Amino acid sequence: MDHDHGSHGGGGTGNTTYPVTNEELAQRFWYIVAGFVGAFLVCRIINWYKLERRLRRHTSSSVQSPTKPDTAFLELWATFTAVVREVSYPQLYVPARGFSWLTPPPGGRVIVLLVYWIIVIYMATDGAIFPDVFHWERIGYRNAWVTITQLPLLYLLSSKCNVVGFITGISHERLNWLHRWVARTMLATGAVHGFYFYADWARSELVDYQIKMMPMIKYGFGAWGLLLWACVSGLAPLRRLSYEFFVLQHIVTAVLLLWLIYVHIPVDARYNLWFAIAALCFDRFCRTVMLVWQNVKALPDKKRCTGGQRIGHQAQVRAVGDSITVVTIKDVHFKWRAGQHLYLWMPRVGIAEAHPYTIACAHQLPETCICNSIQLVVRKHGGFSKRLHELATKAQLAGKKERLTAFVSGPYGAPPRWDIYETIVLISASTGASFTLPILESVLQHKGTNCVKRIDFLLTTKQGEEIDFYVTRLHELIEHAKGTGIELHVHIAVTQGPTSFPVSQDGVTADSSSGSSTGTNFGRGKKVADEKITSQRPLSSPGDIEQTARAIPVERKRSSHASTDSHVFYSSVRPDIEAYIRGPVEATGGETSVVVCGGPSLVARTRNCVASLSDERAVHKGTGAQGIQLFAEEYSF
């Protein structure tokens, strides 16, 4: 940004003949941002009113489906919500091997991004494009203001603790995508700023003179170069090469960028810089306070668990198979909600590494445990997770339990309430069950008003050993579900490798430990006859699967009436997501929540299925079909 051309570009430092000054455009930008944040706040308030009304109606025995809208305003709001969902859920997935990271955002995010670009283009061009002697200089200076005006938003959206998230109720990881696109937009407007100034100087053969006369120019080139590096290094293929290095260099880049911008811009534009620094400092202050409060105990209670620690928490690590590590963190003195995550720091495993992991258990009820313990399921990749798995494996081979000191920061995330839907469909792949399983636990353990009548839980994986930990927990929850009045269906699909699960002639069977009275659509839409099951034994090869499929059926006895509401089905075929979602949605009389956690392919497929089904059923458009809400969590690093 040039210091000496405010009057030509509408900088506000002198008289101007142009209708809009750069400062006025900057103010309009933040008015628009505040307007969008306010609109999200209004939506949040309306949704809160709707959910509270549902819970109050549920207490009335005469209301069969309290999740249905019961007033004209709520019916109108439900129709508006359904239309927004059908537009925002679909996503185009790029299936090409090695290029799936090029998958564009879902429809809703694309619309938000297009609106943002329209605003930026308006700011960059309004009253600035007309031929005169200052044409090149004016456009360059205007885009300098457009770039610097976006700087505070860039740092706000990158913060884990930020005002935007507090007001809208949207967690930081669901704002981070916009942070990346704001950076790319700044890169483009910054390039226009530099190009027009450089082109103007080149036409007059004054490039060397201008750079020599105004040293701040080279700092501007440096700032743009750092922004380019941040955008390129943040691309998925490069980020995955070494996530630890990416995080470290990204922090350093963010700090250096602020200093270079400080040196480059004029004084009358530095309020944007101080705004960004305030956002960064506020985030770091809140996170530091949270870290100290959660990991430092002035008077630890030695009676809790195996004894409280003054600094940090005692953690036990256990290797499960060749790729999974279960971390149990003892005596945490804070609450969390199903679907939240935290950052884990283990100095012995990684001296300067803190990694985010989903909390794989629901918050323990006071009467069930003398302390709170958090469980994390860590899949081995490289770096920290690889060293952690190797440490746990060595300890198990030596016949001892490995105990480490762990520090946690969080919980982060703002998942919705799960007790306000009539039907919940939980879909996960492999360790994505760390996200969906706590949701199932929290609903079954809920002691207050609960609108949920049915839960369908799908867990799919390539290797059976990856989900042994979850399957054990699922069987415990199945027993617990029998006394809750909630109909629970569990589906487990192991598509490759050996498995100890029983498989029938259709590739699907019901588990003998849990009765069921009806079949369920699964796999390729076939029905499962659950009066008979095949004999169970470990399956180690495709030949074993065929042999078991031809095994003589064994009669199974029903255990009790309660057990008829809990179903478990195993499969060795890839599940049909559309058919799996359709069954519960068509059977319910109220709103359905579909929750998915997995890779990009599974998430995109689920998004498209939900949007298509909602459109097909004409949800809240006079057909009587009720809403389908989607909450998607895509694991990546």
Side-chain angles (χ1 to χ4, degrees), residues 570-623:
Y570 294 106
S571 171
S572 61
V573 297
R574 188 183 298 274
D576 184 342
I577 299 299
E578 192 276 337
Y580 184 77
I581 296 175
R582 179 181 294 273
V585 168
E586 292 182 345
T588 189
E591 186 171 16
T592 300
S593 176
V594 178
V595 184
V596 59
C597 182
S601 175
L602 176 63
V603 171
R605 189 160 70 251
T606 305
R607 283 182 172 277
N608 295 331
C609 289
V610 170
S612 176
L613 186 59
S614 178
D615 179 62
E616 174 191 326
R617 291 171 55 79
V619 165
H620 289 303
K621 301 180 184 70
T623 62

Side-chain angles (χ1 to χ4, degrees), residues 80-304:
F80 170 75
T81 302
V83 172
V84 171
R85 288 171 176 174
E86 290 170 11
V87 172
S88 61
Y89 286 166
Q91 182 178 24
L92 174 66
Y93 175 68
V94 178
R97 185 179 181 87
F99 293 94
S100 61
W101 60 276
L102 292 175
T103 297
R109 293 183 177 182
V110 171
I111 294 173
V112 171
L113 188 57
L114 290 177
V115 171
Y116 184 78
W117 283 344
I118 290 171
I119 295 170
V120 170
I121 293 172
Y122 155 74
M123 292 176 57
T125 59
D126 182 46
I129 302 178
F130 56 89
D132 66 357
V133 67
F134 299 118
H135 172 76
W136 294 82
E137 183 181 282
R138 182 174 54 253
I139 294 177
Y141 198 79
R142 170 64 63 82
N143 279 273
W145 269 94
V146 171
T147 304
I148 195 64
T149 299
Q150 298 174 79
L151 184 69
L153 183 62
L154 178 71
Y155 281 80
L156 272 174
L157 295 174
S158 70
S159 304
K160 293 179 176 59
C161 303
N162 67 78
V163 177
V164 175
F166 291 154
I167 296 176
T168 62
I170 303 174
S171 56
H172 75 91
E173 75 277 4
R174 295 181 179 272
L175 293 172
N176 192 259
W177 74 272
L178 188 56
H179 159 74
R180 294 193 296 269
W181 281 105
V182 168
R184 294 161 187 166
T185 306
M186 289 178 61
L187 185 68
T189 57
V192 174
H193 156 62
F195 170 78
Y196 270 82
F197 267 118
Y198 192 90
D200 187 36
W201 299 335
R203 291 168 61 242
S204 305
E205 298 182 352
L206 294 174
V207 174
D208 293 338
Y209 173 76
Q210 291 282 4
I211 293 177
K212 182 178 180 180
M213 184 182 69
M214 295 184 292
M216 81 287 299
I217 293 175
K218 61 178 179 289
Y219 294 108
F221 282 122
W224 190 85
L226 276 181
L227 189 58
L228 175 63
W229 164 252
C231 291
V232 172
S233 64
L235 296 176
L238 297 178
R239 187 173 68 242
R240 291 167 182 167
L241 292 177
S242 178
Y243 183 76
E244 293 85 355
F245 174 75
F246 163 75
V247 172
L248 179 62
Q249 63 84 25
H250 202 67
I251 294 174
V252 174
T253 299
V255 175
L256 287 178
L257 179 64
L258 290 174
W259 178 75
L260 288 173
I261 291 176
Y262 172 82
V263 179
H264 177 65
I265 64 176
V267 174
D268 59 346
R270 283 183 181 168
Y271 69 87
N272 293 287
L273 180 72
W274 298 124
F275 189 177
I277 293 175
L280 179 63
C281 292
F282 177 77
D283 174 54
R284 292 295 165 176
F285 172 77
C286 291
R287 291 166 63 180
T288 300
V289 170
M290 188 179 298
L291 182 68
V292 173
W293 175 74
Q294 291 169 342
N295 296 279
V296 177
K297 308 179 189 67
L299 298 173
D301 188 354
K302 297 297 182 179
K303 298 179 180 179
R304 295 172 69 88

